[in-house]
Each structure stands twice: as C-alpha cells, then as structure tokens.
Amino acid sequence: MRERKPLKRRVNLLAKEGVTVVDWKDVTLLRKFLSDRGKIRSRRVTGLTPQQQRQVATAIRNAREMALLPYPSQAR
C-alpha cells in the first residue's frame, strides 16, 4: 500500500496581507492569483474562502476589462 502525504494547508494570502475588501485597481495583489498563462487560480491552490475567491475573480475580471491585467493566452 502507498503512503499518503499529509495535506499541506495553503496560506490565505488575503488574510496574510490584511486585505478585507479586494479592489480591482490593486494589480500587484491580483497578479498573485493569476497563473503564468493569465488564468485565475482555483480555491484549492489559493487557499481562499469561497466569498474571497468570488471577490478576487470579480476584481480580476474588472481589471481585465480596464486593460490592467491580461486575458488568458492560448497554449500552443
């Protein structure tokens, strides 16, 4: 039988930075939640609560609309 690795809990970045409300103009914070291809990282990866993940996703979409963040690029 294979042994399982103990689960490593992800650190909540928003709690660590002391952020209560996510602002779409805070591009440096939002970039931490994007992959190198520009995709929004999942909750499982970021360690956020569902409400925080929704706030981050909405802020990223607004920042993309204002051309502050890139849209996801196509893998080739």
Side-chain angles (χ1 to χ4, degrees):
M1 239 177 155
R2 285 185 4 184
E3 290 184 34
R4 285 188 178 181
K5 291 182 182 177
L7 290 176
K8 179 182 170 191
R9 285 295 304 152
R10 296 289 298 174
V11 177
N12 186 330
L13 260 173
L14 294 181
K16 183 176 152 186
E17 305 247 344
V19 177
T20 54
V21 177
V22 181
D23 187 21
W24 61 268
K25 292 171 268 186
D26 191 359
V27 180
T28 55
L29 177 70
L30 294 178
R31 281 193 190 276
K32 296 177 183 177
F33 298 102
L34 291 177
S35 70
D36 57 339
R37 296 207 180 271
K39 291 184 175 185
I40 300 173
R41 295 188 192 273
S42 68
R43 258 191 73 224
R44 188 171 47 86
V45 175
T46 60
L48 299 177
T49 65
Q51 294 84 3
Q52 289 172 329
Q53 183 69 21
R54 268 185 250 121
Q55 279 185 351
V56 167
T58 304
I60 288 174
R61 287 191 213 111
N62 289 340
R64 283 176 176 164
E65 196 68 27
M66 299 307 232
L68 298 175
L69 290 174
Y71 281 93
S73 61
Q74 298 293 323
R76 293 197 186 222

PDB file of all heavy atoms in Angstrom, residues 37-51:
ATOM      1  N   ARG A  37      -0.058  31.843 -17.467  1.00  0.00           N
ATOM      2  CA  ARG A  37      -0.830  31.996 -18.711  1.00  0.00           C
ATOM      3  C   ARG A  37      -1.987  32.978 -18.580  1.00  0.00           C
ATOM      4  O   ARG A  37      -2.714  33.221 -19.533  1.00  0.00           O
ATOM      5  CB  ARG A  37      -1.375  30.648 -19.171  1.00  0.00           C
ATOM      6  CG  ARG A  37      -0.297  29.671 -19.531  1.00  0.00           C
ATOM      7  CD  ARG A  37      -0.828  28.695 -20.542  1.00  0.00           C
ATOM      8  NE  ARG A  37       0.155  27.727 -20.939  1.00  0.00           N
ATOM      9  CZ  ARG A  37       1.004  27.905 -21.938  1.00  0.00           C
ATOM     10  NH1 ARG A  37       0.975  29.020 -22.622  1.00  0.00           N
ATOM     11  NH2 ARG A  37       1.861  26.969 -22.246  1.00  0.00           N
ATOM     12  N   GLY A  38      -2.193  33.518 -17.369  1.00  0.00           N
ATOM     13  CA  GLY A  38      -3.241  34.514 -17.177  1.00  0.00           C
ATOM     14  C   GLY A  38      -4.549  33.947 -16.664  1.00  0.00           C
ATOM     15  O   GLY A  38      -5.541  34.670 -16.596  1.00  0.00           O
ATOM     16  N   LYS A  39      -4.569  32.682 -16.292  1.00  0.00           N
ATOM     17  CA  LYS A  39      -5.798  32.081 -15.778  1.00  0.00           C
ATOM     18  C   LYS A  39      -5.915  32.334 -14.278  1.00  0.00           C
ATOM     19  O   LYS A  39      -4.907  32.402 -13.564  1.00  0.00           O
ATOM     20  CB  LYS A  39      -5.809  30.573 -16.013  1.00  0.00           C
ATOM     21  CG  LYS A  39      -5.929  30.179 -17.462  1.00  0.00           C
ATOM     22  CD  LYS A  39      -6.021  28.678 -17.569  1.00  0.00           C
ATOM     23  CE  LYS A  39      -6.261  28.241 -18.995  1.00  0.00           C
ATOM     24  NZ  LYS A  39      -6.458  26.787 -19.062  1.00  0.00           N
ATOM     25  N   ILE A  40      -7.150  32.430 -13.794  1.00  0.00           N
ATOM     26  CA  ILE A  40      -7.393  32.625 -12.366  1.00  0.00           C
ATOM     27  C   ILE A  40      -7.143  31.302 -11.659  1.00  0.00           C
ATOM     28  O   ILE A  40      -7.678  30.268 -12.048  1.00  0.00           O
ATOM     29  CB  ILE A  40      -8.837  33.102 -12.118  1.00  0.00           C
ATOM     30  CG1 ILE A  40      -9.096  34.423 -12.840  1.00  0.00           C
ATOM     31  CG2 ILE A  40      -9.094  33.259 -10.624  1.00  0.00           C
ATOM     32  CD1 ILE A  40     -10.541  34.880 -12.797  1.00  0.00           C
ATOM     33  N   ARG A  41      -6.324  31.329 -10.616  1.00  0.00           N
ATOM     34  CA  ARG A  41      -6.027  30.107  -9.862  1.00  0.00           C
ATOM     35  C   ARG A  41      -7.242  29.699  -9.033  1.00  0.00           C
ATOM     36  O   ARG A  41      -7.996  30.541  -8.558  1.00  0.00           O
ATOM     37  CB  ARG A  41      -4.840  30.328  -8.939  1.00  0.00           C
ATOM     38  CG  ARG A  41      -3.553  30.584  -9.682  1.00  0.00           C
ATOM     39  CD  ARG A  41      -2.391  30.591  -8.714  1.00  0.00           C
ATOM     40  NE  ARG A  41      -1.186  31.093  -9.330  1.00  0.00           N
ATOM     41  CZ  ARG A  41      -0.339  30.324 -10.011  1.00  0.00           C
ATOM     42  NH1 ARG A  41      -0.564  29.051 -10.154  1.00  0.00           N
ATOM     43  NH2 ARG A  41       0.740  30.860 -10.539  1.00  0.00           N
ATOM     44  N   SER A  42      -7.397  28.383  -8.834  1.00  0.00           N
ATOM     45  CA  SER A  42      -8.552  27.861  -8.115  1.00  0.00           C
ATOM     46  C   SER A  42      -8.407  28.051  -6.607  1.00  0.00           C
ATOM     47  O   SER A  42      -7.315  28.309  -6.095  1.00  0.00           O
ATOM     48  CB  SER A  42      -8.735  26.378  -8.428  1.00  0.00           C
ATOM     49  OG  SER A  42      -7.668  25.645  -7.873  1.00  0.00           O
ATOM     50  N   ARG A  43      -9.512  27.887  -5.912  1.00  0.00           N
ATOM     51  CA  ARG A  43      -9.524  27.999  -4.454  1.00  0.00           C
ATOM     52  C   ARG A  43      -8.608  26.988  -3.810  1.00  0.00           C
ATOM     53  O   ARG A  43      -7.978  27.237  -2.800  1.00  0.00           O
ATOM     54  CB  ARG A  43     -10.946  27.730  -3.936  1.00  0.00           C
ATOM     55  CG  ARG A  43     -11.699  28.946  -3.568  1.00  0.00           C
ATOM     56  CD  ARG A  43     -12.965  28.575  -2.827  1.00  0.00           C
ATOM     57  NE  ARG A  43     -12.626  28.118  -1.491  1.00  0.00           N
ATOM     58  CZ  ARG A  43     -13.142  27.056  -0.906  1.00  0.00           C
ATOM     59  NH1 ARG A  43     -14.025  26.319  -1.521  1.00  0.00           N
ATOM     60  NH2 ARG A  43     -12.787  26.736   0.320  1.00  0.00           N
ATOM     61  N   ARG A  44      -8.564  25.816  -4.391  1.00  0.00           N
ATOM     62  CA  ARG A  44      -7.721  24.740  -3.868  1.00  0.00           C
ATOM     63  C   ARG A  44      -6.261  25.168  -3.855  1.00  0.00           C
ATOM     64  O   ARG A  44      -5.499  24.820  -2.957  1.00  0.00           O
ATOM     65  CB  ARG A  44      -7.921  23.502  -4.752  1.00  0.00           C
ATOM     66  CG  ARG A  44      -7.275  22.256  -4.259  1.00  0.00           C
ATOM     67  CD  ARG A  44      -7.721  21.070  -5.081  1.00  0.00           C
ATOM     68  NE  ARG A  44      -7.687  21.286  -6.525  1.00  0.00           N
ATOM     69  CZ  ARG A  44      -6.619  21.107  -7.288  1.00  0.00           C
ATOM     70  NH1 ARG A  44      -5.492  20.712  -6.750  1.00  0.00           N
ATOM     71  NH2 ARG A  44      -6.684  21.308  -8.577  1.00  0.00           N
ATOM     72  N   VAL A  45      -5.879  25.970  -4.832  1.00  0.00           N
ATOM     73  CA  VAL A  45      -4.494  26.428  -4.949  1.00  0.00           C
ATOM     74  C   VAL A  45      -4.251  27.676  -4.094  1.00  0.00           C
ATOM     75  O   VAL A  45      -3.222  27.790  -3.433  1.00  0.00           O
ATOM     76  CB  VAL A  45      -4.150  26.727  -6.427  1.00  0.00           C
ATOM     77  CG1 VAL A  45      -2.765  27.320  -6.566  1.00  0.00           C
ATOM     78  CG2 VAL A  45      -4.274  25.464  -7.250  1.00  0.00           C
ATOM     79  N   THR A  46      -5.206  28.605  -4.089  1.00  0.00           N
ATOM     80  CA  THR A  46      -5.002  29.881  -3.402  1.00  0.00           C
ATOM     81  C   THR A  46      -5.273  29.817  -1.908  1.00  0.00           C
ATOM     82  O   THR A  46      -4.745  30.613  -1.149  1.00  0.00           O
ATOM     83  CB  THR A  46      -5.898  30.977  -3.995  1.00  0.00           C
ATOM     84  OG1 THR A  46      -7.268  30.586  -3.846  1.00  0.00           O
ATOM     85  CG2 THR A  46      -5.572  31.217  -5.455  1.00  0.00           C
ATOM     86  N   GLY A  47      -6.132  28.901  -1.468  1.00  0.00           N
ATOM     87  CA  GLY A  47      -6.444  28.793  -0.046  1.00  0.00           C
ATOM     88  C   GLY A  47      -7.437  29.827   0.440  1.00  0.00           C
ATOM     89  O   GLY A  47      -7.551  30.059   1.640  1.00  0.00           O
ATOM     90  N   LEU A  48      -8.173  30.457  -0.472  1.00  0.00           N
ATOM     91  CA  LEU A  48      -9.142  31.475  -0.090  1.00  0.00           C
ATOM     92  C   LEU A  48     -10.475  30.848   0.311  1.00  0.00           C
ATOM     93  O   LEU A  48     -10.759  29.697  -0.029  1.00  0.00           O
ATOM     94  CB  LEU A  48      -9.386  32.441  -1.260  1.00  0.00           C
ATOM     95  CG  LEU A  48      -8.188  33.228  -1.772  1.00  0.00           C
ATOM     96  CD1 LEU A  48      -8.597  34.068  -2.968  1.00  0.00           C
ATOM     97  CD2 LEU A  48      -7.621  34.098  -0.679  1.00  0.00           C
ATOM     98  N   THR A  49     -11.296  31.631   1.001  1.00  0.00           N
ATOM     99  CA  THR A  49     -12.653  31.192   1.301  1.00  0.00           C
ATOM    100  C   THR A  49     -13.496  31.392   0.034  1.00  0.00           C
ATOM    101  O   THR A  49     -13.090  32.140  -0.864  1.00  0.00           O
ATOM    102  CB  THR A  49     -13.258  32.015   2.460  1.00  0.00           C
ATOM    103  OG1 THR A  49     -13.385  33.372   2.036  1.00  0.00           O
ATOM    104  CG2 THR A  49     -12.393  31.938   3.707  1.00  0.00           C
ATOM    105  N   PRO A  50     -14.656  30.743  -0.063  1.00  0.00           N
ATOM    106  CA  PRO A  50     -15.488  30.928  -1.269  1.00  0.00           C
ATOM    107  C   PRO A  50     -15.847  32.394  -1.543  1.00  0.00           C
ATOM    108  O   PRO A  50     -15.828  32.834  -2.689  1.00  0.00           O
ATOM    109  CB  PRO A  50     -16.736  30.106  -0.967  1.00  0.00           C
ATOM    110  CG  PRO A  50     -16.283  29.070  -0.015  1.00  0.00           C
ATOM    111  CD  PRO A  50     -15.217  29.718   0.821  1.00  0.00           C
ATOM    112  N   GLN A  51     -16.163  33.144  -0.492  1.00  0.00           N
ATOM    113  CA  GLN A  51     -16.516  34.554  -0.675  1.00  0.00           C
ATOM    114  C   GLN A  51     -15.320  35.358  -1.185  1.00  0.00           C
ATOM    115  O   GLN A  51     -15.461  36.194  -2.083  1.00  0.00           O
ATOM    116  CB  GLN A  51     -17.004  35.171   0.655  1.00  0.00           C
ATOM    117  CG  GLN A  51     -18.296  34.597   1.155  1.00  0.00           C
ATOM    118  CD  GLN A  51     -18.111  33.299   1.940  1.00  0.00           C
ATOM    119  OE1 GLN A  51     -16.977  32.855   2.165  1.00  0.00           O
ATOM    120  NE2 GLN A  51     -19.211  32.688   2.352  1.00  0.00           N
TER     121      GLN A  51
END
